[in-house]
Amino acid sequence: GTVNLCLSYLLDYTGTPGSYVGILSGYRATVEIAAMFWLSSTKRKPPYWVILSIACLLVAAEHLIYPWMTSFPALVAASTLTGIGGGLYFGISANFVLQTVDNRAANTAISVQAVINGAAGIAGTALGGIIIDAYGVTALTSGVGVLTLITTAIFAGGILLGKKKIPLGAARN
């Protein structure tokens, strides 16, 4: 949601004509598809949660570097990060959900994931417009970048901590 909302504002921020939004969107979508093809052809993959964490870190990095993007070629280069991240995310997120939940809950879990993704996009777009009007586009992109870093750290940290089983009665030093 917020990525697409920001594109026209980012073009304006760099002094690029708004008519270039299609080129930028098309490029990012092409990179997403290439990343999905790469993912499907790779025999040895890291754990799904690692791929999802990498995808989110790429999206965060793109959002955090926008304040330094001063030209259309720079925006295209930055869009590569979200293109790869989006391709990895869309290519593996359903597999992660299916790996994580019981088979009997799989359909519900995938539906809940889709609803949350949609709701986040709607909320991000609605609030994003308000933030852009009040503080500018780079304030929104920086905020999204930081929020993505924080949620990725919570996600990866939760998985890593979940792998360490600490008995309830264990002594702590």
Side-chain angles (χ1 to χ4, degrees):
T2 55
V3 170
N4 292 328
L5 167 71
C6 293
L7 289 182
S8 61
Y9 290 98
L10 288 167
L11 289 170
D12 186 52
Y13 177 76
T14 61
T16 305
S19 59
Y20 282 42
V21 72
I23 296 169
L24 195 56
S25 296
Y27 172 76
R28 182 180 289 153
T30 301
V31 174
E32 277 185 9
I33 292 167
M36 283 188 250
F37 275 124
W38 173 82
L39 193 60
S40 68
S41 67
T42 304
K43 301 269 187 254
R44 292 178 43 106
K45 294 178 186 65
Y48 293 151
W49 73 269
V50 172
I51 296 170
L52 287 173
S53 296
I54 291 168
C56 292
L57 291 174
L58 289 170
V59 171
E62 178 184 355
H63 281 81
L64 290 170
I65 65 173
Y66 275 139
W68 294 277
M69 299 295 101
T70 57
S71 67
F72 183 69
L75 283 180
V76 171
S79 290
T80 303
L81 298 173
T82 290
I84 295 169
L88 295 176
Y89 175 82
F90 293 118
I92 212 79
S93 60
N95 292 344
F96 176 76
V97 171
L98 293 174
Q99 178 189 52
T100 307
V101 301
D102 182 87
N103 285 342
R104 295 171 291 180
N107 290 336
T108 301
I110 293 293
S111 297
V112 168
Q113 177 200 18
V115 167
I116 290 171
N117 281 342
I122 292 167
T125 301
L127 293 174
I130 295 167
I131 292 169
I132 289 171
D133 282 346
Y135 305 104
V137 68
T138 58
L140 175 65
T141 60
S142 297
V144 168
V146 169
L147 185 60
T148 303
L149 284 177
I150 291 168
T151 56
T152 303
I154 292 168
F155 170 73
I159 288 179
L160 290 172
L161 289 174
K163 291 183 177 198
K164 296 179 182 181
K165 306 282 187 215
I166 301 173
L168 290 175
R172 296 176 191 230
N173 294 332

